[in-house]
């Protein structure tokens, strides 16, 4: 069963912010304390805090980033694929 399309921005924001904060907090935690005993627990604590900030930030900032992207990137020709493929 799939969620209705109205939830797409929230699901996208949750997945993007979750994955990015997971990776970045892991790198930052390893840099701060090294891969030592207790690393995983500290990483998960750091990740949950980072995600609690990242998720609402993505939801608020995404519309601005979309507008800025449209300023910088030329529109696709009509009929062009939406897949990111080299041309």
């Amino acid at each position: 069963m799939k969620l209705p399309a109205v939830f797409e921005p929230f699901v996208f924001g949750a997945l993007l912010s979750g994955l990015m904060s997971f990776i970045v907090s892991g790198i930052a935690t390893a840099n701060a304390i090294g891969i030592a005993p207790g690393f995983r627990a500290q990483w998960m604590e750091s990740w949950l805090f980072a995600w609690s900030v990242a998720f609402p930030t993505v939801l608020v900032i995404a519309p601005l980033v979309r507008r800025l992207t449209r300023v910088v990137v030329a529109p696709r020709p009509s009929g062009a694929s939406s897949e990111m493929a080299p041309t």
Side-chain angles (χ1 to χ4, degrees), residues 6-51:
V6 69
F7 292 107
E8 191 261 339
F10 300 102
V11 173
F12 180 85
L15 293 173
L16 177 64
S17 63
L19 290 170
M20 288 296 295
S21 60
F22 182 77
I23 293 165
V24 172
S25 65
I27 293 167
T29 302
N31 186 49
I33 67 170
I35 308 296
F39 169 76
R40 283 191 197 136
Q42 183 61 48
W43 180 7
M44 292 302 103
E45 184 178 327
S46 297
W47 173 56
L48 287 174
F49 177 74
W51 196 8

Side-chain angles (χ1 to χ4, degrees), residues 33-75:
I33 67 170
I35 308 296
F39 169 76
R40 283 191 197 136
Q42 183 61 48
W43 180 7
M44 292 302 103
E45 184 178 327
S46 297
W47 173 56
L48 287 174
F49 177 74
W51 196 8
S52 74
V53 174
F55 181 46
T57 302
V58 164
L59 294 179
V60 170
I61 298 299
L64 172 64
V65 172
R66 283 188 198 103
R67 283 193 296 273
L68 290 172
T69 301
R70 284 192 291 267
V71 168
V72 175
V73 177

